[in-house]
Amino acid sequence: GAGVSQSPRYKVAKRGQDVALRCDPISGHVSLFWYQQALGQGPEFLTYFQNEAQLDKSGLPSDRFFAERPEGSVSTLKIQRTQQEDSAVYLCASSSRRTLASQETQYFGPGTRLLVL
Amino acid sequence: KQEVTQIPAALSVPEGENLVLNCSFTDSAIYNLQWFRQDPGKGLTSLLLIQSSQREQTSGRLNASLDKSSGRSTLYIAASQPGDSATYLCAVPNNAGNMLTFGGGTRLMVKP
């Protein structure tokens, strides 16, 4: 079946512009995660959804970042008033389990590469 | 707070060599540890997942070991090939099991 898809794959934004990044998880997966990956570094956790509930948003760097998953499937990560330090790859992952304390892995999308000029 | 470190940050080897990638973590109370592969411009692909009760996992030419008490894991790649060139990341879940903490990755280049 189809894996996790993300759109757009690339986004160039002018500083101050708002952007919206979309994630389509694997069908039926209850858990959805967003990560931010700066150049040359490992991914860092942003937020976690279980179905439509956002259970952890401790990794969101500022109140300019907002994520939603209104129907428990597709998720959108929105960044308001983008700044240059927001330039990164934004990765989405999904899992069929409610916890990562299991043998079930997360399945990652290809990411959206955001460049803020 | 869990911290995950990977050494070396980059590695270049000739084809055919056996190699070891290292991962260390500060909090040994982990459920499992995963090794991922990331190709340029691509997402992460899970290679091996070791449960906390296991000592190692094998898949083809890959072997991952886990020593919880010392906070270490190694990924062994046998008979490396140019197609193995990628970034390798290790990651552990937090206590709530709702996020992964990643190391910085090892960028591997295998030269023909």
Side-chain angles (χ1 to χ4, degrees):
Chain A
V4 178
S5 61
Q6 293 186 244
S7 61
R9 292 294 312 278
Y10 303 92
K11 177 69 179 178
V12 179
K14 293 182 179 179
R15 190 161 54 97
Q17 186 178 352
D18 297 348
V19 298
L21 313 180
R22 177 186 170 107
C23 172
D24 284 82
I26 294 173
S27 178
H29 277 195
V30 299
S31 296
L32 185 144
F33 310 81
W34 283 98
Y35 292 86
Q36 180 189 58
Q37 185 175 25
L39 187 64
Q41 298 182 20
E44 293 192 355
F45 171 78
L46 292 176
T47 188
Y48 161 67
F49 290 85
Q50 191 177 106
N51 296 309
E52 70 279 2
Q54 187 175 22
L55 299 186
D56 189 336
K57 55 182 181 179
S58 61
L60 296 177
S62 77
D63 58 6
R64 296 186 296 103
F65 287 70
F66 172 77
E68 61 182 4
R69 194 187 185 196
E71 298 179 358
S73 55
V74 172
S75 176
T76 303
L77 176 66
K78 298 179 180 179
I79 309 174
Q80 297 177 326
R81 305 181 302 282
T82 53
Q83 301 178 5
Q84 287 185 324
E85 59 262 32
D86 299 335
S87 297
V89 175
Y90 291 85
L91 294 167
C92 176
S94 70
S95 171
S96 63
R97 296 292 184 91
R98 287 179 168 77
T99 173
L100 298 175
S102 70
Q103 286 189 315
E104 177 65 21
T105 186
Q106 291 182 327
Y107 295 87
F108 281 80
T112 293
R113 187 175 298 272
L114 174 65
L115 176 62
V116 182
L117 302 176
Chain B
K1 177 184 174 184
Q2 178 75 269
E3 293 183 2
V4 182
T5 304
Q6 291 187 244
I7 295 173
L11 182 63
S12 180
V13 300
E15 181 177 6
E17 272 201 10
N18 302 324
L19 52 99
V20 175
L21 309 183
N22 297 290
C23 171
S24 62
F25 45 94
T26 55
D27 184 351
S28 61
I30 60 171
Y31 296 112
N32 57 55
L33 183 144
Q34 273 191 274
W35 283 93
F36 290 88
R37 169 181 173 142
Q38 185 174 32
D39 293 282
K42 303 284 182 64
L44 280 64
T45 302
S46 179
L47 297 173
L48 291 163
L49 186 153
I50 313 176
Q51 294 287 59
S52 60
S53 58
Q54 297 175 316
R55 293 297 296 250
E56 64 178 64
Q57 280 279 0
T58 298
S59 176
R61 293 182 294 106
L62 305 180
N63 175 277
S65 67
L66 175 63
D67 184 343
K68 270 188 58 176
S69 60
S70 67
R72 294 178 183 176
S73 176
T74 61
L75 179 67
Y76 176 83
I77 303 177
S80 58
Q81 303 172 358
D84 295 331
S85 299
T87 295
Y88 291 82
L89 295 150
C90 65
V92 295
N94 64 342
N95 290 338
N98 66 354
M99 60 173 279
L100 291 177
T101 299
F102 285 85
T106 294
R107 290 176 294 285
L108 172 66
M109 175 171 289
V110 181
K111 298 179 178 179

